[in-house]
Amino acid sequence: MRVENQTADEADQRPKRDREATRRRILDAARDLFGEHGYDGVTVRMIAARAEANTALVHRYFGSKPALFGEVLAGESALRGVIAGDAAGLPRRLAEHFVRHIDQRQVTAVSRMLDRSAGHPEVKKILLRYLEDVVVQPIVAQLDGPDARARALLASTIIMGGGPIRRLLGTDDLHDVDPGELIDRVTAMFTAALAPRSGSR
C-alpha cells in the first residue's frame, strides 16, 4: 500500500482535484474506522494509514480527531438537504425522512459510529454542535413567530430519537403499515411540534 509522504505544505501545491480526492479518502477512512472501532479505538495515525495519506495532511485538512469525527457525521447526514426548501413543506419532508429510516434494514456507517462512540465526552460535545448546526438552527431559520428555537428543539427530539429506538427495539411492527399512512401520521407530529403555541403572538 502506497502511503503519501509529502508534507502538508507540499500538499498545498498539488492540483485541487488531488487535494479533494485525498480529503475524501481521509473522510471515508475515518467513517469506516470510527464505525469499526468507535471513537476511542481510532487514532489519527490509523486514519492516515487507511487513507494512504500522511498524519500532517489529516491535521491540515481537519485540524483534530474530534473535528474530523464531526465532519464525517455532518457530511454523512441527509438532514441538511431535507430541511432546506420551502417552509410550508418542512413537516412533510421531515416525515418522509423519518419513515425512510424506519424502513432501513441495514445499519449505516454513521449509526455504527454513534453506537460505538456516543458515551465519549468529546463525542457528546461533537453531537451537540452537530445538532445545533445541522438540525436546530436550519429549522429555526424556517420558522416564523415566537419560540422558534423551542419548536425546533421539539422537532429535533423526534428526528434524533427515532434512530436509537429503531436500533434498540426494532421497527418490524411498522413494516406492514402503509408508508403513506405512516408519513401522514408523522407529518402531523412534525406539524404540531413546529406550530406556534396556541394563544402565542
Side-chain angles (χ1 to χ4, degrees):
M1 179 169 63
R2 180 181 61 85
V3 176
E4 297 172 355
N5 291 317
Q6 77 276 12
T7 67
D9 287 335
E10 289 170 341
D12 285 343
Q13 305 305 315
R14 301 172 65 208
K16 182 178 179 182
R17 185 182 302 172
D18 289 348
R19 294 198 304 271
E20 290 175 350
T22 300
R23 194 175 186 280
R24 182 71 254 172
R25 287 203 314 275
I26 293 169
L27 283 168
D28 290 344
R31 178 199 62 214
D32 294 343
L33 286 167
F34 286 134
E36 291 167 13
H37 305 290
Y39 185 84
D40 261 346
V42 176
T43 65
V44 170
R45 188 178 297 278
M46 289 168 63
I47 294 168
R50 176 74 66 93
E52 299 186 24
N54 180 300
T55 56
L57 286 176
V58 178
H59 289 294
R60 171 60 61 91
Y61 291 149
F62 300 101
S64 65
K65 188 173 85 165
L68 177 53
F69 188 96
E71 187 140 356
V72 171
L73 181 62
E76 294 290 323
S77 174
L79 279 168
R80 288 187 194 275
V82 171
I83 295 170
D86 66 295
L90 179 59
R92 185 81 179 182
R93 292 196 304 276
L94 291 173
E96 289 170 346
H97 173 79
F98 190 94
V99 171
R100 277 195 301 271
H101 281 72
I102 283 177
D103 198 42
Q104 195 169 49
R105 307 301 177 100
Q106 292 184 328
V107 177
T108 66
V110 169
S111 294
R112 287 194 297 270
M113 279 175 54
L114 294 177
D115 287 344
R116 294 173 182 172
S117 308
H120 195 285
E122 282 185 339
V123 172
K124 182 178 179 181
K125 294 178 184 177
I126 295 165
L127 288 174
L128 287 172
R129 284 197 301 272
Y130 165 82
L131 183 64
E132 186 70 29
D133 296 344
V134 176
V135 185
V136 176
Q137 285 303 322
I139 291 178
V140 168
Q142 294 267 26
L143 302 179
D144 292 322
D147 303 318
R149 180 173 175 80
R151 291 147 54 199
L153 284 170
L154 183 56
S156 299
T157 64
I158 302 172
I159 298 167
M160 302 306 290
I165 293 296
R166 184 179 68 249
R167 294 192 295 275
L168 289 171
L169 298 179
T171 55
D172 290 345
D173 292 336
L174 296 176
H175 291 154
D176 294 331
V177 180
D178 177 65
E181 181 183 347
L182 279 178
I183 289 171
D184 287 343
R185 285 174 174 267
V186 180
T187 297
M189 292 167 56
F190 280 115
T191 299
L194 294 170
R197 290 178 300 166
S198 299
S200 62
R201 297 182 181 220

